[in-house]
Amino acid sequence: FSVKNYVVRSLSPQEEKRLMEVLSLPQYAYLKGIVIVALNTALRRQNILDLTWEQIDLEGRVIEITENKSNKHILKPINDTLYDYFTATPPEKRRGYVFINYYTGKKCKEIKRAWRTVKEKAGIKNFRFHDLKHTVGTRLALNNVPISVIKEVLDHSDVSTTMRYVHTADEQILSAMNVL
């Protein structure tokens, strides 16, 4: 028998609140933006770090990703939260990479150390950046979005992959069992 070692983890609303409080500190402003994009697009960390203003069409409200892990052409709709985040940047600063390293003024290449620090300050354990993608899938499922739509949002080729990302909340399981 082969053992499937899947990490099942999504961010609770309480954890997100604590995380956003820490990310609101000035030194983590760039990281807060990265997390906002992750929670509103389900994009992978590298796609977010590589994001340029040229890929963002605010008028058409879409992000276009052409280079990614699966070599797929991805179009991500920009929801209201993301639109507000992007339009908060003055038009004259909307060029080059979206996320710039605060200290070097160049493209933000890595966030691992800052991510670890922010999680520690927020009291969040056993949570990877990639788990933000799990969080998106879980929240969509909790709001009764069909699995086929969640599959597209998460950019999966196969629905069985999507199922690993969608974690049912304990309340939903209890509610389902109470139907019996």
Side-chain angles (χ1 to χ4, degrees):
F1 296 100
S2 64
V3 177
K4 305 265 191 245
N5 188 18
Y6 301 127
V7 176
V8 177
R9 181 78 163 91
S10 64
L11 198 62
S12 74
Q14 298 81 8
E15 288 174 321
E16 182 178 359
K17 183 177 183 228
R18 293 194 317 264
L19 181 66
M20 288 304 178
E21 286 172 1
V22 174
L23 288 170
S24 294
L25 297 171
Q27 66 267 37
Y28 300 118
Y30 73 98
L31 189 55
K32 182 176 184 177
I34 292 168
V35 171
I36 288 170
V37 171
L39 286 172
N40 287 280
T41 63
L43 285 171
R44 298 180 188 286
R45 179 183 63 219
Q46 199 57 52
N47 291 131
I48 296 170
L49 295 178
D50 291 342
L51 192 61
T52 64
W53 286 104
E54 291 73 31
Q55 293 173 280
I56 299 170
D57 177 2
L58 290 173
E59 192 174 309
R61 291 182 74 134
V62 69
I63 298 171
E64 183 177 22
I65 306 288
T66 54
E67 293 182 29
N68 54 69
K69 180 182 173 186
S70 57
N71 293 319
K72 289 173 26 180
H73 185 246
I74 298 171
L75 292 174
K76 287 285 183 179
I78 295 174
N79 66 14
D80 293 341
T81 301
L82 214 47
Y83 184 82
D84 292 344
Y85 172 75
F86 287 140
T87 56
T89 300
E92 64 273 8
K93 291 191 176 187
R94 294 182 202 155
R95 60 184 185 287
Y97 289 102
V98 175
F99 299 106
I100 305 297
N101 183 303
Y102 179 78
Y103 300 104
T104 67
K106 296 182 180 178
K107 175 190 173 197
C108 187
K109 292 182 181 177
E110 191 50 64
I111 60 167
K112 285 182 184 177
R113 189 168 44 190
W115 178 246
R116 190 175 339 128
T117 302
V118 165
K119 287 188 312 177
E120 286 172 9
K121 287 184 177 194
I124 299 171
K125 297 183 187 325
N126 297 327
F127 193 81
R128 306 163 302 158
F129 188 88
H130 188 74
D131 293 330
L132 294 171
K133 190 169 183 129
H134 290 251
T135 302
V136 172
T138 300
R139 289 181 180 173
L140 292 173
L142 289 172
N143 284 288
N144 300 315
V145 173
I147 194 72
S148 59
V149 174
I150 297 171
K151 173 186 158 288
E152 294 302 318
V153 170
L154 299 180
D155 303 308
H156 292 150
S157 299
D158 190 303
V159 75
S160 63
T161 305
T162 306
M163 294 305 295
R164 294 194 315 247
Y165 282 71
V166 178
H167 315 296
T168 307
D170 291 338
E171 302 88 43
Q172 278 189 313
I173 294 171
L174 179 59
S175 177
M177 295 307 290
N178 281 333
V179 169
L180 299 174

